[in-house]
Amino acid sequence: MGLMDAIAKSGILDQLGGGSPDLARAAGSLLSSSDTSVGGGTGLTQVLQGLQSSGLGDVVASWLGSGSNQAVSPSQLQSALGDQTVSQFANKAGIDTGAALTALAGMLPQLVDSLSPDGSLPESNQLESLLSKALSA
């Protein structure tokens, strides 16, 4: 099964943003290394490294592994991402920070799991292309 097939099969495209284009765009901006409007263009790999540095390595590993995905709480995301990035994400999504963190906590494990069917994320240029397609669908 190809990577895009895995993403499509997971239903993540339907769940990203819960049907909200603004929330999907905010997620795309956060996870893209080429869009600096949310998080300064850190990208998905850097977001995951931030989570790992915040003591959530086991959680991130569960998203990349073949078992069930461990949850991440909104407060854990707040600590890992920082106030500025969370505020940028919420503003771009057009929602308050609490709702933004809750939405991101719900979508991030599934998105990472969908993007890593073989246990690792694709190369950054392929990842950018897949995120762009996933979030514009």
Side-chain angles (χ1 to χ4, degrees):
M1 176 186 310
L3 192 53
M4 284 306 293
D5 293 333
I7 294 170
K9 185 177 179 186
S10 74
I12 194 69
L13 300 180
D14 297 328
Q15 295 170 14
L16 275 173
S20 166
D22 291 339
L23 189 54
R25 275 192 290 278
S29 295
L30 173 66
L31 303 177
S32 172
S33 59
S34 62
D35 184 336
T36 61
S37 65
V38 177
T42 56
L44 178 58
T45 301
Q46 292 296 95
V47 167
L48 296 181
Q49 287 175 352
L51 290 167
Q52 290 168 328
S53 296
S54 295
L56 299 171
D58 289 344
V59 174
V60 172
S62 77
W63 304 345
L64 294 169
S66 59
S68 61
N69 294 329
Q70 292 182 28
V72 62
S73 73
S75 63
Q76 289 171 317
L77 281 176
Q78 175 83 41
S79 295
L81 296 176
D83 293 338
Q84 182 177 359
T85 298
V86 171
S87 179
Q88 291 169 341
F89 180 84
N91 287 338
K92 185 151 191 156
I95 56 179
D96 66 63
T97 56
L101 285 165
T102 299
L104 192 56
M107 75 170 75
L108 194 56
Q110 294 173 312
L111 179 63
V112 172
D113 188 51
S114 296
L115 290 171
S116 59
D118 298 322
S120 61
L121 293 173
E123 296 295 320
S124 65
N125 61 341
Q126 183 185 14
L127 182 59
E128 287 293 318
S129 175
L130 291 168
L131 283 171
S132 176
K133 288 176 186 174
L135 294 168
S136 65

